[in-house]
Amino acid sequence: MMTDVNVVVMDFKGVKGNEVVTVNEDNSYTILINARLSYEGQLKAYQHALRHIENNDFQKNDVQSIEYNAHQLNTEKVIPVPAQKYLERIRELQKERRRIQRQIKKDQERVKFIMDNSDLYKLAEHQYLYGDEL
């Protein structure tokens, strides 16, 4: 059975941490979440705090085991993915990376050519606009 949980998103100015959980006088809980986290980070902080509440961690003393258990993955809904899928995705990403690197090299060569010949372009533009007489 889940007790009442209040959630407050607030700025943790100068304080490190993602979330803080407190037990209230009425045995409900308040979770304070750092507003400086991304939305995904706030969700993870919320889920982490809920695991502490669900595991009754406020009744325990061993911080190391509490945090160890709170960070364990929930493997009930995990669907195994064949390693071949990961290998295919890695190959696709490597191919894309090589393509991007080739494009970057071409672009760098173009920029270098323009930088090396910028006076030539200025002269050509001047001649186009004003003729041969300088």
Side-chain angles (χ1 to χ4, degrees):
M1 183 176 117
M2 188 65 160
T3 59
D4 290 333
V5 177
N6 305 300
V7 179
V8 178
V9 178
M10 62 182 287
D11 191 358
F12 287 13
K13 293 180 184 175
V15 178
K16 291 186 178 187
N18 298 336
E19 82 283 331
V20 175
V21 182
T22 61
V23 181
N24 302 321
E25 291 178 2
D26 62 352
N27 289 327
S28 67
Y29 294 89
T30 298
I31 301 173
L32 305 173
I33 298 177
N34 192 346
R36 295 181 184 225
L37 296 173
S38 67
Y39 179 73
E40 290 81 15
Q42 291 175 1
L43 286 176
K44 287 180 182 178
Y46 174 73
Q47 292 166 347
H48 179 84
L50 279 183
R51 281 194 296 275
H52 282 299
I53 294 168
E54 291 168 352
N55 292 334
N56 291 321
D57 288 341
F58 299 95
Q59 318 311 324
K60 301 174 185 173
N61 292 326
D62 184 13
V63 175
Q64 295 300 323
S65 64
I66 290 170
E67 285 301 318
Y68 175 79
N69 291 330
H71 287 278
Q72 292 300 305
L73 293 175
N74 182 1
T75 57
E76 294 172 7
K77 299 178 184 177
V78 173
I79 299 170
V81 177
Q84 188 60 33
K85 291 258 186 201
Y86 287 107
L87 293 174
E88 290 170 7
R89 181 66 178 139
I90 289 170
R91 284 190 205 104
E92 290 172 11
L93 291 171
Q94 288 172 335
K95 185 178 176 182
E96 179 68 11
R97 181 174 185 242
R98 285 190 299 270
R99 186 193 65 75
I100 291 171
Q101 286 176 330
R102 284 192 303 270
Q103 185 63 46
I104 288 172
K105 186 176 179 183
K106 285 180 184 178
D107 291 343
Q108 287 173 334
E109 290 171 358
R110 290 181 184 135
V111 168
K112 184 178 182 320
F113 177 80
I114 291 171
M115 296 288 287
D116 290 346
N117 297 297
S118 63
D119 292 336
L120 179 65
Y121 284 110
K122 288 178 188 174
L123 179 61
E125 180 182 37
H126 187 274
Q127 287 179 345
Y128 175 75
L129 294 173
Y130 306 110
D132 289 336
E133 296 179 17
L134 297 176

